[in-house]
């Protein structure tokens, strides 16, 4: 059902970056201003897409090029000012951990800041862990309390809030007065899904393009965030990957290979012959009209359509809100947080 149009040459070759190249400025404009400009421009492209989805007079190749250019302006890249702040913060915390706890402990980023689907201006999720991994909540609290005392003597790092009663204890920090950081301890499961998503993002540049677009669309339409009874950013990313697996032949990477914090390069490749615009339209068609939310499971671990009753999903918790399997924690249904599926479905259908 996805129109078979060739991918644009611009999409295939664009590699933009945050900063003067992406914004067209070389006059020393601050990174914050550049990020705001990129976000404003991207919102304009979102509005353009909303206006054109029902139109038959569309130059999909040109629109794909326009959208990818805007995405390049907000994607988190290694040479961006945001990434530079992330690296500096990680170095500062690693030095603090080494001096206060010991050299054997490590600090790793996870989530959108490290999985290839991040955007500029985002916060930073970090975990302090020991190679032998302790999943004890008590051990995590001990480490965080020790770091909390040391943070009071660290000028660039300030603790805004210490949350020890949560399922995952966390220190909410501020680095250099502007970067929000969440620091946990021994919370190693997210490291595996970070490595997995990063491998998918590396298969083809269209993969992070689609994932980031979908997340920005969900944010613009108020259908993202567990606090609002909607799917998480992680869930929308998995939905984008699963759609491309089922409909476009994106390879299904073996989850068992992502069992450590070590980055893993993908040994497979994928060629995409569709324009970005056609893929985005296909995403909405798939989840609004084709996917059976009551009887099927979003599973990037399997990479194909299976019914919820299939023995493959015997660990997955069952809820009427839908089923999105966490590829790492197989018993975790990421759709459990959805309290208003009708709102999500209405947004998906309105996109068409």
């Amino acid at each position: 059902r996805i129109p078979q149009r060739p991918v644009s040459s611009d999409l295939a070759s664009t590699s933009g970056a945050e900063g003067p190249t992406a914004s067209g400025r070389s006059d020393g404009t601050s990174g914050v201003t550049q990020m705001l400009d990129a976000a404003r421009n991207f919102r304009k492209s979102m509005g353009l897409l909303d206006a054109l989805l029902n139109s038959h007079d569309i130059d999909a190749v040109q629109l794909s090029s326009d959208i990818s250019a805007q995405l390049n302006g907000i994607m988190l890249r290694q040479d961006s000012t945001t990434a530079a702040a992330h690296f500096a913060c990680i170095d500062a915390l690693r030095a603090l951990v080494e001096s206060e706890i010991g050299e054997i402990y490590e600090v790793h980023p996870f989530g959108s800041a490290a999985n290839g689907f991040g955007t500029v201006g985002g916060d930073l999720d970090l975990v302090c862990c020991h190679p032998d991994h302790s999943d004890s909540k008590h051990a995590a609290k001990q480490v965080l309390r020790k770091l909390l005392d040391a943070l009071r003597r660290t000028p660039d790092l300030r603790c805004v809030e210490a949350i020890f009663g949560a399922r995952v204890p966390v220190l909410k920090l501020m680095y250099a007065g502007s970067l929000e950081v969440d620091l946990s301890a021994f919370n190693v499961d997210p490291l595996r899904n970070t490595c997995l998503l990063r491998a998918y993002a590396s298969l083809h540049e269209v993969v992070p393009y689609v994932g980031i677009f979908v997340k920005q669309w969900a944010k613009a339409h108020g259908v993202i965030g567990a606090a609002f009874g909607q799917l998480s950013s992680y869930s929308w990313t998995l939905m984008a990957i699963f759609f491309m697996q089922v409909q476009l032949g994106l390879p299904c990477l073996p989850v068992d290979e992502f069992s450590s914090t070590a980055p893993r390069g993908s040994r497979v490749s994928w060629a995409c012959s569709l324009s970005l615009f056609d893929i985005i339209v296909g995403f909405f068609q798939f989840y609004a009209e084709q996917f059976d939310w009551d009887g099927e499971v979003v599973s990037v671990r399997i990479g194909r359509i299976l019914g919820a009753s299939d023995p493959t999903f015997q660990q997955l918790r069952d809820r009427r809100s839908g089923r999105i399997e966490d590829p790492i924690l197989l018993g975790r249904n990421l759709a459990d947080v959805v309290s208003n599926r009708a709102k999500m479905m209405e947004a998906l259908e309105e996109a068409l």
Side-chain angles (χ1 to χ4, degrees), residues 222-246:
V223 289
I224 194 168
F228 306 104
Q230 297 296 328
L231 295 173
S232 67
S233 172
Y234 176 43
S235 297
W236 283 106
T237 303
L238 291 177
M239 285 172 59
I241 292 172
F242 182 69
F243 155 71
M244 287 184 276
Q245 288 174 326
V246 172

Side-chain angles (χ1 to χ4, degrees), residues 90-168:
I90 293 169
D91 287 343
L93 275 169
R94 282 174 175 164
L96 183 69
V97 166
E98 181 179 334
S99 65
E100 298 297 323
I101 304 178
E103 294 183 6
I104 194 93
Y105 282 82
E106 303 167 347
V107 175
H108 295 284
F110 66 90
S112 60
N115 65 19
F117 293 86
T119 54
V120 297
D123 58 6
L124 177 61
D125 293 310
L126 298 174
V127 58
C128 174
C129 58
H130 189 282
D132 293 335
H133 297 171
S134 169
D135 58 2
S136 164
K137 188 173 181 178
H138 176 70
K141 288 181 180 180
Q142 283 185 317
V143 167
L144 293 180
R145 284 198 170 99
K146 193 165 186 178
L147 291 176
L148 182 59
D149 291 336
L151 283 166
R152 298 189 177 99
R153 306 187 300 272
T154 307
D156 285 339
L157 281 163
R158 178 173 62 89
C159 182
V160 177
E161 185 179 8
I163 306 175
F164 292 122
R167 181 181 64 86
V168 178

Side-chain angles (χ1 to χ4, degrees), residues 1-3 49 53 207 210-218 223 231 235-245 247-248 274-291 293 298 324 344-345 347-349 351-352:
R1 300 189 57 181
I2 304 174
L49 180 72
L53 273 171
V207 178
V210 174
I212 291 173
F213 185 94
V214 165
K215 291 194 296 180
Q216 294 294 318
W217 170 86
V223 289
L231 295 173
S235 297
W236 283 106
T237 303
L238 291 177
M239 285 172 59
I241 292 172
F242 182 69
F243 155 71
M244 287 184 276
Q245 288 174 326
Q247 298 287 74
L248 305 178
L274 293 180
S275 73
L276 177 60
F277 177 77
D278 287 337
I279 295 173
I280 289 171
V281 172
F283 171 88
F284 291 114
Q285 288 177 337
F286 180 71
Y287 285 109
E289 300 177 350
Q290 300 173 32
F291 183 75
W293 284 94
V298 173
I324 302 176
M344 179 186 73
M345 294 306 302
L348 288 167
E349 291 163 4
L352 298 173

